[in-house]
């Protein structure tokens, strides 16, 4: 079974069997009080709502830390030396999980293409025992997202101007048909995205 614990914005916890996976732990360290300690910590990108060295230092403990190169480049030495760097389209195995880096970026030619450039950050597909979870990170509805298959749980952002509109997010989800979708990271400058419309 896979339990999802929402922390805030782009930050969450998966409790997958006996393994605890944190993704993009940021913000108030007290938000993690009472939560199980992580075995794996994933960071998607260098922006402050995804990447906080102070939060990482507080929560990472003995966990495996998986990051894109751009994040590793900004880590303090004590974390950089133990981080596993994963590139787009690369797959590693950690603690029985297959972890694949999925490109996350804004589409070239779009008004927001400079926010997230292809190759810098990672979305992640986690797989174990034929279950597949996709954590999209900050991204448009890219061809790589739309080509995913057999996704059981997907975390999909929808906050303009940084990621997708509600309509673009819905269109992308209809293309790859995950069984369950968690809208996340849906707060933008104009407030919360309309999750009811997405639904």
């Amino acid at each position: 079974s896979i339990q999802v614990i929402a922390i805030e914005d782009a930050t969450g916890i998966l409790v997958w069997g006996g393994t605890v996976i944190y993704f993009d732990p940021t913000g108030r360290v007290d938000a993690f009080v009472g939560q199980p300690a992580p075995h794996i910590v994933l960071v998607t990108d260098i922006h402050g709502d995804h990447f906080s060295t102070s939060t990482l230092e507080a929560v990472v403990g003995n966990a495996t830390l998986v990051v894109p190169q751009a994040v590793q480049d900004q880590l303090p030495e004590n974390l950089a030396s133990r981080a596993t760097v994963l590139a787009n389209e690369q797959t590693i195995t950690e603690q029985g999980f297959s972890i694949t880096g999925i490109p996350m970026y804004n589409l070239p030619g779009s008004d927001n293409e400079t926010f997230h450039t292809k190759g810098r950050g990672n979305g992640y597909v986690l797989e174990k025992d034929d279950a597949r979870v996709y954590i999209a990170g900050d991204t448009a509805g890219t061809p790589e997202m739309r080509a995913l298959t057999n996704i059981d749980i997907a975390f999909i952002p929808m906050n303009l101007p940084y990621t997708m509109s509600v309509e673009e997010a819905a269109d992308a989800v209809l293309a790859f048909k995950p069984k369950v979708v968690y809208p996340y990271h849906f707060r933008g400058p104009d407030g919360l995205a309309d999750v009811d419309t997405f639904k």
Side-chain angles (χ1 to χ4, degrees), residues 97-165:
F97 287 81
S98 163
I99 305 173
T100 301
I102 306 296
M104 50 146 276
Y105 57 98
N106 298 115
L107 295 173
S110 64
D111 293 340
N112 57 359
E113 69 174 301
T114 57
F115 288 126
H116 305 95
T117 52
K118 187 172 182 177
R120 186 185 74 204
N122 279 330
Y124 294 99
V125 168
L126 305 165
E127 182 170 2
K128 185 178 183 182
D129 300 333
D130 295 327
R132 285 163 56 83
V133 174
Y134 172 48
I135 299 164
D138 278 4
T139 187
T142 62
E144 292 89 349
M145 176 192 292
R146 298 171 76 91
L148 292 170
T149 56
N150 301 322
I151 299 293
D152 295 287
I153 297 172
F155 293 86
I156 300 295
M158 53 187 87
N159 63 328
L160 290 176
Y162 306 107
T163 62
M164 292 185 274
S165 67

Side-chain angles (χ1 to χ4, degrees), residues 79-91:
L79 293 175
S81 61
R82 51 174 288 194
T84 298
V85 174
L86 187 66
N88 287 180
E89 312 286 5
Q90 184 183 2
T91 300

Side-chain angles (χ1 to χ4, degrees), residues 23-42:
F23 52 93
D24 286 347
T26 64
R28 308 181 330 276
V29 170
D30 61 4
F32 297 92
V33 171
Q35 300 295 351
H39 300 97
I40 299 171
V41 176
L42 306 172

